[in-house]
Amino acid sequence: MKIYNTMTRKKEEFVPIREGKVGIYVCGPTVYDFIHMGNARPMIVFDTLRRYLTYKGYEVNYVSNFTDVDDKIIKRANEEGVDSSVISERYIAEVKKDMAAMNVQEATTHPKATEEIPDMIALVQTLIEKGYAYEVNGTVYFRTRQFKEYGKLSHKNLDDLRSGNRSLQVSGEEEKEDSLDFVLWKPKKEGEPSWESPWGEGRPGWHLECSCMSKKYIGDIIDIHAGGEDLIFPHHENEIAQSEAANGTEFARYWMHNAFLKINNEKMSKSLGNFFTIREISEKYSLQVIRFFMLSAHYRSPLNFSADLVEAAKNGLERILTAYEKAEETAKKAAGVTPSPEEQESIERIETFIQRFEVAMEDDLNTADAISVIFELVKLSNTTIDAQSSKVYCERMTAAIRQLCDILGIETVREAELLDEEIERLIEERQQARKNKDFAKADEIRNTLLEQGIALEDTREGVKWKKI
Ligand code: AMP
Ligand code: ZN
């Protein structure tokens, strides 16, 4: 398989460090709110990479963290008057629900920053001992100029960065030796979560957690490190500096970065306020449609969110499911006759479609081309399967469609079969909203369900629902 490596800016043949095994680390979300569609793009893309590598026979160790200590979490906790762990635990649970609904498999390990503090402290100590870090007034900084290869991932020049940074220096950072030095450990402020450390009570900087967790759960060298392209600088650059300085070895072999999900040609983001949460979009579309929409573009191409494009994805998916159902129904009714010579030929064509699907996926995970191949397969199915078709042929066709959809994480079962789970999920969300005294949200969920012909009844035994 060829992977475009951000580090070398080339497509390279993927060669694992250990035969048959792949360690993948994907930077996960900061858990202070529901995730939006932009955050879902790396989740879906790299879950598909994992599924493809698994299909190819690799044993995949997939690690993705939850950043559960961060300014935004603390801010939200203070607004609600609760401990920041209440906020992070709440949104970890919500992210996990969204991931499941998008068919994103649970990671092999989902480490949380707050549970890895001792290892992070040890890493900072190693960096201090090796002369790569220094402490001033309870803050520990990474001595960037000490790491000679700084800038190699983002292809930035250290001198340009330094002159650009000087004017950006924020107050309180005069104590730094150099404007490029970044924080590894920061001292406690009133009302913030903190941990004991050799430099006084405080908490780790964001970049530190990924260096630490990837080492612990994968090893000093990771096969593939991935995330959104906004993480290249400074986050991934800083991860490289920390890990390579501490471990004395290469940090990651292949760096994969997804392009942005945009809306009106701007990056979808919380700060711009131009976002839809996955939860919101799930009230309009099945998340299978959203997954299909995300994979309809190559992951390194920007993808513009528009109702038209999502509608097109919905129709495309519908076409696949209809063909699949027709083939499945025909298989049930068909007698066990052996395939006709024409069917034999079509079976050979099915094999070539599977090969072409693989060729597309091997070309830097080109899911857009892979989906086109599925459409060609569906066309073959529609033009060759009828009441006279043999069971063997129909079954070969359904197995092929199912297998290829499976690699993309697309279910071949239809919406309606998933509907009960979806209703239960919305009811649970409404209960949660009521518990939080968010009655506007609870009413909104009730109305959404009503629009879809589901009436809720609050009884002593809990919430009951019926179709109206
Ligand atoms: P954050 O919680 O902001 O750190 O984001 C979690 C992940 O979502 C990171 O890998 C980001 O790069 C990614 N991400 C955030 N916004 C977008 C977007 N609009 N399009 C694609 N990826 C995004
Ligand atoms: Zn990271």
Side-chain angles (χ1 to χ4, degrees), residues 297-313:
H298 185 258
Y299 75 95
R300 283 191 295 116
S301 304
L303 174 60
N304 208 37
F305 174 82
S306 77
D308 283 354
L309 284 179
V310 178
E311 273 308 317

Side-chain angles (χ1 to χ4, degrees), residues 342-360:
E342 293 79 28
E343 284 182 338
Q344 224 23 291
E345 244 173 64
S346 294
I347 288 174
E348 278 161 32
R349 285 187 68 197
I350 292 176
E351 303 310 326
T352 63
F353 284 132
I354 293 174
Q355 281 164 18
R356 282 179 49 209
F357 176 94
E358 290 187 14
V359 167

Side-chain angles (χ1 to χ4, degrees), residues 128 131-134 141-147 177 181-182:
I128 292 178
Y132 283 103
Y134 58 96
Y141 294 101
F142 186 87
R143 189 172 274 132
T144 304
R145 75 186 126 90
Q146 190 77 12
F147 184 69
E177 288 177 6
D181 295 351
F182 59 88

Side-chain angles (χ1 to χ4, degrees), residues 27-30 36 38-39 41-42 227-228 230-231 258-261 267-268:
C27 297
T30 306
H36 61 70
N39 301 134
R41 194 171 187 194
D230 53 336
L231 299 185
N258 64 276
F260 290 141
L261 178 79
K267 178 193 174 190
M268 184 182 279

